[in-house]
Amino acid sequence: MSAPMTNSSQDIQIYEIKRMDLKGSTIINGFPGVGLVSSIVANYLVNTLNLEQIGLMDSTLFPTVSLIRKSEPHHPVRIYAGTTPGKPADNIVVFISEFQPPQSIVKPIAETLIDWAQDQWCSLIMCPEGLVIEKEEGAQPEDEKSVRVYGVGSTHRAREYIIEPNVLPFSEGVITGVAGILLNEGKRRNFDVISLLAEAQQDYPDARAAAKIIEIIDRLMLHTRLDAKPLYREAERIEAQIRAVQSKAVVDSKTQNQFSGMYG
Amino acid sequence: MSAPMTNSSQDIQIYEIKRMDLKGSTIINGFPGVGLVSSIVANYLVNTLNLEQIGLMDSTLFPTVSLIRKSEPHHPVRIYAGTTPGKPADNIVVFISEFQPPQSIVKPIAETLIDWAQDQWCSLIMCPEGLVIEKEEGAQPEDEKSVRVYGVGSTHRAREYIIEPNVLPFSEGVITGVAGILLNEGKRRNFDVISLLAEAQQDYPDARAAAKIIEIIDRLMLHTRLDAKPLYREAERIEAQIRAVQSKAVVDSKTQNQFSGMYG
Amino acid sequence: MSAPMTNSSQDIQIYEIKRMDLKGSTIINGFPGVGLVSSIVANYLVNTLNLEQIGLMDSTLFPTVSLIRKSEPHHPVRIYAGTTPGKPADNIVVFISEFQPPQSIVKPIAETLIDWAQDQWCSLIMCPEGLVIEKEEGAQPEDEKSVRVYGVGSTHRAREYIIEPNVLPFSEGVITGVAGILLNEGKRRNFDVISLLAEAQQDYPDARAAAKIIEIIDRLMLHTRLDAKPLYREAERIEAQIRAVQSKAVVDSKTQNQFSGMYG
Amino acid sequence: MSAPMTNSSQDIQIYEIKRMDLKGSTIINGFPGVGLVSSIVANYLVNTLNLEQIGLMDSTLFPTVSLIRKSEPHHPVRIYAGTTPGKPADNIVVFISEFQPPQSIVKPIAETLIDWAQDQWCSLIMCPEGLVIEKEEGAQPEDEKSVRVYGVGSTHRAREYIIEPNVLPFSEGVITGVAGILLNEGKRRNFDVISLLAEAQQDYPDARAAAKIIEIIDRLMLHTRLDAKPLYREAERIEAQIRAVQSKAVVDSKTQNQFSGMYG
Amino acid sequence: MSAPMTNSSQDIQIYEIKRMDLKGSTIINGFPGVGLVSSIVANYLVNTLNLEQIGLMDSTLFPTVSLIRKSEPHHPVRIYAGTTPGKPADNIVVFISEFQPPQSIVKPIAETLIDWAQDQWCSLIMCPEGLVIEKEEGAQPEDEKSVRVYGVGSTHRAREYIIEPNVLPFSEGVITGVAGILLNEGKRRNFDVISLLAEAQQDYPDARAAAKIIEIIDRLMLHTRLDAKPLYREAERIEAQIRAVQSKAVVDSKTQNQFSGMYG
């Protein structure tokens, strides 16, 4: 482990594109983790609920890339928000990130996110995560029913009212990345942060695990009574799209570096 | 990906050599990208329109090199400007860079460029780019007619008035480097940034793709009714010159490092 | 040895969760060292004395991880405190760290710890450590009686009243890491710092060495007359738990890095 | 090309040892380049004209070495000055550097040098350089007459009065290192900087190329009518001395690093 | 040579433990160099003259280690002082370092040392050094008489009164490390710095070379008429001790790094 750099949260900025009253709203953290479960969930919610981009997170330390979608350029980290049919009084906010932040900026990102959540008087940060499970060799592929979902909360309040009545408790383990720091900071600040962890494959985007978490989020917060079948198909479509961006990114990355040594 | 450095845009300076009223002018971004399309376009415009050097961009982080052209030393990043025969009221501004900036300074460069564009009341930044296409093996070499050009714009305004009536929309994809950041920043600041992407070979300077973009720029902005043939010949001449600088640079780079370990 | 970074103690913060009068209390340093002796001792004391978390140490330079224990998230470095049955007037404070800090932040951590100890009017910092012993090949496994414990103190006072009457003097040698810096700083500031060093295996967590130090800490400070047998069993249970976190951490660490090169 | 560091010119200092009026004087840049031509020229002038050390350039970033010459310690970068027999009214200033600066500090060095030149009201900076020529295999060794010398100037003034009447113009090419930055900065500041480039071998110190440049400097500035023969012998003696320092430096460098990993 | 960091002398601090009037005293630089000659000399003088620790040098950049000697913890860089039997009016000051500083902090260390020497009105800094000699193969082991000692001084004063009457002049060569910077800085500041260089083996601690320098220091400054025999035996004892610390340090260093990758 080489000497790490100091990256304060001053290196990360949030820019608002459209002002919206977010008091009491829930934030979904879509920074990628195990099985890209968080990314699939976040994209699904943005698409299904027709959420609108209200801001973006940026930093000199983020990748130098523009993502073109529907003929418009997009920053790699974006903030979407909107209402849900089942609970029109409350807003839902979704952070989408097209890249997994390197270790050195995970803390500044998480701290900027929770600072902003508190500034906006949001009431909850929800982190969908995959939980690696080791399978016996030769085991049969499991059906969706068998995907278990665990939960952990940063506060007594979150554990008592959200985790315990709804999912299995995640009692012992380790959560890394943005979600891990959000949980720690939520505990320190007495701010509600929840992570839902669905059993997932760590080696590829896992649409089934994501769909399982979407069902629970719907039941807990959205009350939209999503039909299960399209949910799984949509989750699979997003999985495919994410794979495509990844392979594209690799090609472009090669291209980019081709001449960079010119006088270097 | 190792821990990145913080390079603020304060590390990049623009020095004016000659003051000129640039209100309403278009900036052509010549920082090199895929197929060096942007470099060929930028050099072509400087040569053909007899543009004059009005400034330079410099940084401690730029290569330590002087380029001698017509017996005069030149900085590696220069700013040229002048009028065009077809539209004498408006100026055109061209950024030429002799090197592809490393990842870590792409953002500061793009932000300094767009800051300056806004300070000068320019109206548009145009980014010529190559778009990598994968060919089937054994495919016949294509003639110039077959080079397709796509476009993407940072604002609704740019998309409606410039992209849609003139080129194919670039609806889904990834744009890296200075052009990508200019598009993102243009969107955030509501400043018109356009990227024209011509199908190009990523492995060597592609004069044909550049010529195709020059034709469109001429039609859209310059109205000089350039003759196609010399355009292609000139583009090829520039391609050859850029290749020469590259191989030269590699030799000098070796020379430079020869004694640097003396007491190191 | 590459050029080291400057990490001032400003990069390390201590956050209080619960205010407690710590005047005159003893601090146990649980940052991991040889044989994880310090970690086992620190965890044993927290568990056995039912100490309460009163704060945490944090830094942008710490690992980006949340440890879930009993369904609650925990920071990787925590501060516990409470009274002991045998000496209810005085508090005992324990620092627990789930990771061994890299070389570059050992000094800032130790300086922040001793600054805080002086701010809180604590009277002593105790560092349990393992001491590597080289065994002859084919030697019989030693019984617990044969584990020798050495001691070293930062001040004349500490050596005369605590080390000399109770343990063998550690007269010549080298102590690295947080404990080493605490001893040096204690000497410079005339603050009592003691290190107890039990002969230990360097290659794996050594519960027996830890138990031996716990006995001495109990005799010197706690006066709880701990029963030896459960002590050894408990120490072994903690050893097993630490091993589990380590292997888990390795798995998660791999997972985390999987997509980090996306556009990197 | 890894992320470069920011090294401002504040990292480089010039210390005066003896104050001298340098108004109107010419500075010879002796930072090493191709064929060590600049080093040989600079040392020759210091020796032949009996120049006196008037200052030094220093930086935390320079090698940690003292050069002992005639029983006196010397900094690796020194400034010499004095008058010439042929032009006693004007001073000549020579920068000698015993090492080739790494890429990252070339700009700060050049900027500090030209800042100082302007502060002292010097009138010209002269950069002797080698120009790599590719020979056909089996070609006969060339005699000294055949070494061509080219020139390039930072200003119209320098090109018209110094370059054009005396040497071949260097019309197209690339100049790297301190000389390249001096030319660029001279152009931007409208300060006269000249580089004389003699055809040279890039793989070893080239005394013959240096001698050719010395002849031109003598003719243009010194008017001392140097005898050619001793000039070439002296240039060869310096070439030998520089080789000796280099091999010595390599040995000492090894020695220095021997124990640096002790606790590292 | 990779881009070096900027380490100002602000990163290095000297802490006084005991105040003593050091006006006119001589400082012995014990930072390790070729053959560890400086270390052996420095340790010998501390032991033989019963010098007392009066301070220490510290930095975040120094190794994180405590050296236990006679049951007391010690910083890796310490300052000792005291009087000598032969010259009781003047104090002698010795810097002892247990590690060879990496290249990047050699300058800050040397500058902090000489700043402090001037602040304390010391009159001379003496640097004992080894000088690598290349032996013919099969040459007989030389007896102690044959070890030649050379000297170099930073000022005319030092050369005339100390070097020339007593040792061979070191007229041409290179001195690296702390001693080299002290000589350069002494010249620039007109402060007397002397280096005595004894022919030494570069591959291992060379007690004989050290003893030869101690004889000269005794004759020049201490006037204690040291008996030669115990001097050589003592020098050999110190050589052995230094070897022991080195191998110990390697072991501890390995131990230290064992768990540092836990979540890294």
Side-chain angles (χ1 to χ4, degrees), chain C residues 5 7 34 98 100 103 107 153 159 170-177 180 184 187-188 202 245-246 249, chain E residues 5 15 53 58-61 64-66 68-75 104 255-256 258-259 262-263:
Chain C
M5 299 290 148
N7 292 315
V34 170
E98 308 283 344
Q100 175 151 0
Q103 188 91 343
K107 276 207 170 185
R159 287 188 291 273
F170 183 62
S171 54
E172 302 285 324
V174 170
I175 297 177
T176 57
N184 286 354
K187 183 183 188 181
R188 185 171 76 73
Q202 72 169 55
V245 171
Q246 281 186 302
Chain E
M5 297 292 147
Y15 297 99
Q53 189 181 349
D58 203 4
S59 167
T60 311
L61 308 166
T64 55
V65 69
S66 180
I68 313 300
R69 297 273 162 78
K70 296 179 186 165
S71 304
E72 274 193 58
H74 292 79
H75 284 77
S104 60
T255 308
Q256 167 122 353
Q258 195 178 349
F259 298 104
M262 265 174 75
Y263 312 114

Side-chain angles (χ1 to χ4, degrees), chain B residues 5 7 11 15 53 56 58-76 102 104-105 241 245 248 251-252 254-260 262-264, chain D residues 1 3-7 34 36 63 67 98-100 103 106-108 152-154 159 169-177 180-181 183-185 187-188 202-203 245-246 249-250:
Chain B
M5 298 290 148
N7 292 315
D11 293 326
Y15 297 100
Q53 189 181 348
L56 59 96
D58 203 3
S59 166
T60 311
L61 307 167
F62 283 6
T64 56
V65 69
S66 180
L67 289 111
I68 312 301
R69 298 273 160 79
K70 298 178 184 165
S71 304
E72 274 193 59
H74 292 79
H75 285 77
S104 60
I105 58 171
Q241 188 183 35
V245 170
K248 179 116 200 129
V251 169
D252 285 302
K254 278 186 197 152
T255 309
Q256 166 121 353
N257 290 322
Q258 194 179 351
F259 299 104
S260 78
M262 266 174 74
Y263 311 115
Chain D
M1 187 180 201
M5 297 290 148
T6 306
N7 292 314
V34 170
L36 292 181
L67 289 110
E98 308 283 345
F99 72 105
Q100 175 150 359
Q103 187 92 342
V106 162
K107 277 208 167 183
V152 64
S154 64
R159 286 188 290 273
F170 182 63
S171 55
E172 302 283 327
V174 170
I175 297 177
T176 58
I181 301 303
L183 282 166
N184 285 354
E185 281 295 299
K187 181 182 189 182
R188 184 171 77 74
Q202 72 168 54
D203 294 338
V245 170
Q246 280 187 300
V250 171

Side-chain angles (χ1 to χ4, degrees), chain A residues 26-92:
Chain A
T26 294
I27 295 176
I28 309 291
N29 165 39
F31 278 90
V34 170
L36 293 182
V37 167
S38 50
S39 300
I40 299 173
V41 171
N43 278 285
Y44 177 84
L45 293 175
V46 168
N47 296 349
T48 308
L49 303 175
N50 286 311
L51 303 184
E52 190 181 3
Q53 189 181 349
I54 60 159
L56 59 96
M57 185 185 270
D58 204 3
S59 166
T60 311
L61 308 167
F62 283 6
T64 55
V65 68
S66 180
L67 288 111
I68 312 301
R69 298 272 163 79
K70 298 177 184 165
S71 303
E72 274 192 59
H74 292 78
H75 285 77
V77 182
R78 301 179 301 282
I79 312 171
Y80 293 86
T83 56
T84 69
K87 258 181 105 180
D90 290 344
N91 280 305
I92 185 166

Side-chain angles (χ1 to χ4, degrees), chain A residues 7 34 98 100 103 107 153 159 170-177 180 184 187-188 202-203 245-246 249, chain C residues 5 15 53 58-61 64-75 104 255-256 258-259 262-263:
Chain A
N7 292 315
V34 170
E98 308 283 344
Q100 175 152 359
Q103 187 92 343
K107 275 207 169 185
R159 287 188 290 272
F170 183 62
S171 55
E172 302 285 323
V174 170
I175 297 177
T176 57
N184 285 353
K187 182 182 188 182
R188 185 170 77 73
Q202 71 168 56
D203 294 339
V245 170
Q246 280 187 301
Chain C
M5 299 290 148
Y15 297 100
Q53 189 181 350
D58 204 3
S59 166
T60 310
L61 308 166
T64 56
V65 69
S66 180
L67 289 111
I68 312 301
R69 298 272 163 80
K70 297 178 184 164
S71 304
E72 274 193 58
H74 293 79
H75 283 78
S104 60
T255 308
Q256 166 121 352
Q258 195 179 349
F259 298 103
M262 264 173 76
Y263 313 112

Side-chain angles (χ1 to χ4, degrees), chain C:
Chain C
M1 187 181 202
S2 62
M5 299 290 148
T6 306
N7 292 315
S8 77
S9 55
Q10 295 171 8
D11 293 326
I12 314 285
Q13 293 86 33
I14 286 183
Y15 297 100
E16 282 186 22
I17 291 176
K18 180 179 171 174
R19 184 158 285 274
M20 197 181 273
D21 179 10
L22 301 175
K23 193 171 174 183
S25 62
T26 294
I27 295 176
I28 310 292
N29 165 38
F31 278 91
V34 170
L36 293 181
V37 167
S38 50
S39 300
I40 299 173
V41 170
N43 278 285
Y44 177 85
L45 293 175
V46 168
N47 296 348
T48 309
L49 302 176
N50 285 310
L51 303 184
E52 190 182 3
Q53 189 181 350
I54 61 160
L56 59 96
M57 184 185 270
D58 204 3
S59 166
T60 310
L61 308 166
F62 284 5
T64 56
V65 69
S66 180
L67 289 111
I68 312 301
R69 298 272 163 80
K70 297 178 184 164
S71 304
E72 274 193 58
H74 293 79
H75 283 78
V77 182
R78 301 179 300 283
I79 312 170
Y80 292 85
T83 57
T84 68
K87 259 181 105 181
D90 290 345
N91 281 306
I92 185 166
V93 179
V94 178
F95 277 73
I96 298 266
S97 169
E98 308 283 344
F99 72 103
Q100 175 151 0
Q103 188 91 343
S104 60
I105 58 170
V106 162
K107 276 207 170 185
I109 286 173
E111 281 166 15
T112 302
L113 198 162
I114 197 167
D115 283 349
W116 184 81
Q118 290 187 309
D119 286 351
Q120 303 287 329
W121 296 89
C122 299
S123 63
L124 177 69
I125 298 173
M126 157 76 70
C127 306
E129 287 287 313
L131 187 67
V132 180
I133 43 170
E134 281 168 39
K135 296 235 179 82
E136 295 160 53
E137 274 191 64
Q140 293 295 315
E142 302 176 51
D143 70 315
E144 69 195 52
K145 292 279 183 268
S146 69
V147 174
R148 272 165 301 190
V149 177
Y150 299 84
V152 64
S154 64
T155 61
H156 182 74
R157 192 170 53 241
R159 287 188 291 273
E160 190 171 11
Y161 293 104
I162 310 182
I163 303 301
E164 286 165 25
N166 294 290
V167 292
L168 297 167
F170 183 62
S171 54
E172 302 285 324
V174 170
I175 297 177
T176 57
V178 173
I181 301 304
L182 288 173
L183 282 166
N184 286 354
E185 280 295 299
K187 183 183 188 181
R188 185 171 76 73
R189 302 174 183 211
N190 192 30
F191 184 89
D192 291 351
V193 177
I194 284 172
S195 182
L196 294 180
L197 303 104
E199 290 171 340
Q201 309 297 323
Q202 72 169 55
D203 293 339
Y204 55 87
D206 190 328
R208 215 173 44 163
K212 197 77 191 175
I213 288 183
I214 291 167
E215 282 184 345
I216 294 171
I217 289 177
D218 184 50
R219 180 152 44 86
L220 289 180
M221 292 166 210
L222 309 181
H223 313 296
T224 54
R225 288 176 209 161
L226 292 164
D227 184 19
K229 278 297 168 205
L231 190 160
Y232 283 84
R233 276 201 302 275
E234 175 66 7
E236 272 158 16
R237 201 188 59 76
I238 293 169
E239 178 188 318
Q241 189 182 33
I242 289 171
R243 282 176 195 270
V245 171
Q246 281 186 302
S247 66
K248 180 116 200 127
V250 171
V251 169
D252 285 301
S253 164
K254 277 185 197 154
T255 308
Q256 166 121 352
N257 290 322
Q258 195 179 349
F259 298 103
S260 77
M262 264 173 76
Y263 313 112

